Amino acid sequence: MERKFVAVSVSVGVLLGVVNCFPAPDQRDLIIDFHRDCLDTHDVLEDALHDALNGATPEEHDFYLHIICAAKKAKIINDDGIVNTDNIEQDLKDVILEENMANVAAIIRKCLVQREDTLTTIKEGAQCFFKEEHNL
């Protein structure tokens, strides 16, 4: 009986050790990785995105060009500047962790409102989003 208990305990310990070798992805890292190409294309530093996610929205024009790029990549705005938030959950499933998705999707739908031009749509939408409790 004691041997079975020891064997089971060792097996569970090994299993937990293997699981811990593959830590859960960090939400912020997933977002930065998703934005990487757009950050680089528009010469925006990763720190600017971290600052924005922490609630300090920048005024730099290039930052919002980067956000337009990321929004197109996320399929929440098309090349013509038309907002489409119908498929956020599917389109961002590899970027937003499941436990954050409902909140993030609701904030995007609230904040990303079609405006007179793409830059205004993105700038106002991003500023709204970054002020919300998005937990990213």
Side-chain angles (χ1 to χ4, degrees):
M1 178 72 166
E2 187 175 316
R3 283 184 152 174
K4 283 184 181 181
F5 178 74
V6 170
V8 170
S9 296
V10 168
S11 296
V12 169
V14 168
L15 179 61
L16 289 174
V18 169
V19 169
N20 285 331
C21 289
F22 302 102
D26 178 75
Q27 179 63 84
R28 185 79 51 112
D29 289 341
L30 289 172
I31 292 168
I32 297 298
D33 288 346
F34 180 80
H35 280 253
R36 176 73 51 222
D37 292 339
C38 296
L39 288 165
D40 293 345
T41 298
H42 296 284
D43 293 324
V44 174
L45 298 176
E46 187 178 308
D47 288 346
L49 183 54
H50 280 287
D51 290 346
L53 289 168
N54 291 333
T57 55
E59 290 301 319
E60 293 82 17
H61 181 73
D62 287 345
F63 180 81
Y64 293 102
L65 295 179
H66 138 259
I67 295 291
I68 290 171
C69 172
K72 287 179 181 179
K73 185 176 176 181
K75 301 177 186 173
I76 57 175
I77 195 164
N78 68 19
D79 288 336
D80 296 325
I82 305 301
V83 172
N84 180 356
T85 58
D86 294 342
N87 300 309
I88 292 171
E89 292 84 357
Q90 179 61 33
D91 293 337
L92 294 178
K93 69 179 173 26
D94 295 330
V95 180
I96 306 299
L97 297 176
E98 186 176 343
E99 61 264 23
N100 296 332
M101 183 60 80
N103 183 48
V104 169
I107 295 169
I108 291 172
R109 287 186 174 108
K110 171 188 167 191
C111 292
L112 192 60
V113 176
Q114 190 71 52
R115 305 290 184 193
E116 60 274 7
D117 61 75
T118 305
L119 185 59
T120 304
T121 299
I122 289 298
K123 189 171 184 176
E124 290 181 11
Q127 289 174 347
C128 172
F129 182 88
F130 293 133
K131 290 178 183 174
E132 294 287 326
E133 291 294 326
H134 50 71
N135 301 319
L136 299 179

